[in-house]
Amino acid sequence: VSHQRTDWISIHSRICHLLIPVLGPQPCFRSEKDRKNGKEQLLRRQESLIALALSTAQGFVWEGKPLEAIPAALQALRFSSQVFGSGSVQLVPIYLLLAEASTGTGRLRQAAKYLSQAQWIILQTPNCSAALQSKLHRGLGLFSIAEGNLDQALYHLANDVYLATAEFGLNSVEVSGGYLNMANVFFHQNKMDAANSLYAKV
């Protein structure tokens, strides 16, 4: 019952009305043109569901409610797998969000599985963008912090900063998250000069 309640609060109350035309029986079309239009309409509905579920999950994570974020992110993953395929690069941000939410609830083993899945997809994707690789390293860095492995965290966060810089430029806002996370690690290591320098940079 508690799982159903969490699922309802998280996502199903928002998408229930959208599920019927997507999951229900599809109409029979008389012409090729109508069939093509029907497929395009179904795809648009699925993409709307994905966007809504993903933004809902991200909102819960930002609000500090990782448990509520997981059902919404799982819905985004389910429909994204159907639309794009299970090995598609479009699934990487969802896996990273699931890893972050799982880490926030203390489910580190589950978070590690999601991160491994994201990493595998990126390794299988030629010419994967530096921006997406940066997000992966940030996720791995935050996971390493949660595990207490601060040296490993700094390695991943440095890669995050490097890749984000390559994609967006040295003084871009997108790089600041990596600097902030590194500064927090240095702060916990009591390396105040490095921490303060990075806080100033942010």
Side-chain angles (χ1 to χ4, degrees):
V1 173
S2 65
H3 281 254
Q4 287 178 334
R5 189 180 301 116
T6 302
D7 194 53
W8 178 258
I9 292 167
S10 170
I11 191 63
H12 268 99
S13 62
R14 300 161 204 250
I15 65 169
C16 236
H17 63 288
L18 301 172
L19 289 173
I20 296 169
V22 171
L23 298 178
Q26 298 303 307
C28 291
F29 298 105
R30 295 174 185 266
S31 70
E32 184 61 34
K33 182 182 176 184
D34 288 343
R35 226 181 336 272
K36 186 180 176 186
N37 288 339
K39 281 185 178 179
E40 288 174 358
Q41 189 176 32
L42 177 62
L43 180 62
R44 283 195 299 272
R45 285 174 175 162
Q46 288 171 321
E47 287 174 341
S48 295
L49 267 171
I50 293 165
L52 177 59
L54 194 53
S55 64
T56 300
Q58 187 66 73
F60 279 125
V61 168
W62 286 338
E63 289 171 21
K65 299 176 179 176
L67 188 63
E68 287 87 343
I70 291 172
L74 287 172
Q75 284 295 328
L77 181 65
R78 174 188 178 194
F79 285 106
S80 293
S81 297
Q82 289 175 4
V83 172
F84 305 114
S86 59
S88 170
V89 76
Q90 280 92 342
L91 273 60
V92 170
I94 304 171
Y95 279 124
L96 295 177
L97 188 58
L98 279 164
E100 187 177 354
S102 297
T103 300
T105 59
R107 300 171 183 169
L108 296 185
R109 186 176 294 178
Q110 189 63 48
K113 288 180 182 177
Y114 290 133
L115 286 168
S116 294
Q117 197 68 28
Q119 196 167 24
W120 183 85
I121 291 172
I122 284 179
L123 288 171
Q124 299 297 312
T125 306
N127 305 318
C128 183
S129 72
L132 198 55
Q133 292 179 62
S134 165
K135 287 181 181 178
L136 172 64
H137 279 286
R138 185 170 300 184
L140 290 166
L142 293 173
F143 177 74
S144 297
I145 292 170
E147 282 192 313
N149 192 343
L150 299 186
D151 290 333
Q152 184 74 9
L154 286 173
Y155 167 79
H156 286 299
L157 294 171
N159 278 310
D160 168 22
V161 168
Y162 173 77
L163 290 160
T165 300
E167 183 79 14
F168 303 108
L170 192 60
N171 293 315
S172 63
V173 172
E174 288 82 0
V175 180
S176 63
Y179 282 135
L180 180 63
N181 290 318
M182 287 181 76
N184 290 338
V185 171
F186 283 128
F187 180 84
H188 286 297
Q189 290 180 328
N190 208 26
K191 297 176 180 176
M192 298 312 297
D193 287 346
N196 289 330
S197 173
L198 288 172
Y199 284 135
K201 185 90 171 163
V202 173

